[in-house]
Amino acid sequence: VRDQLRIDFGLEMEEANMVLRDVQGRELVREVWEAQSGGTLEMGNLAKGIYVLELETAAGRFWYKVVKE
């Protein structure tokens, strides 16, 4: 990832909660996306490194490793 992370759920969700954390667990970004199939997370202002993306939807809670180049 460089400036934007595109997230596609594959189907339309009523609501998705998204939290981006650094490797120390500090919350950097929190967003709620409503009635859409995905979204774009702006990462241009973040330093290079590894981040953890947490997504919570009606289908469950998921964690992803994100590498910012």
Side-chain angles (χ1 to χ4, degrees):
V1 175
R2 293 193 189 276
D3 294 324
Q4 295 182 333
L5 175 63
R6 172 79 179 123
I7 300 167
D8 185 1
F9 301 126
L11 54 101
E12 190 167 307
M13 297 286 178
E14 289 185 20
E15 180 177 286
N17 296 302
M18 187 280 307
V19 178
L20 185 69
R21 301 179 189 275
D22 64 14
V23 291
Q24 285 82 31
R26 292 180 294 221
E27 185 177 304
L28 304 173
V29 178
R30 177 180 290 272
E31 293 184 7
V32 177
W33 295 335
E34 295 184 16
Q36 53 189 351
S37 60
T40 301
L41 176 62
E42 296 294 330
M43 296 187 67
N45 61 332
L46 299 175
K48 292 180 182 180
I50 298 173
Y51 297 89
V52 176
L53 176 67
E54 178 184 346
L55 289 174
E56 184 176 6
T57 69
R61 184 176 286 175
F62 307 92
W63 292 267
Y64 301 95
K65 179 173 83 172
V66 177
V67 179
K68 168 81 165 50
E69 298 180 345

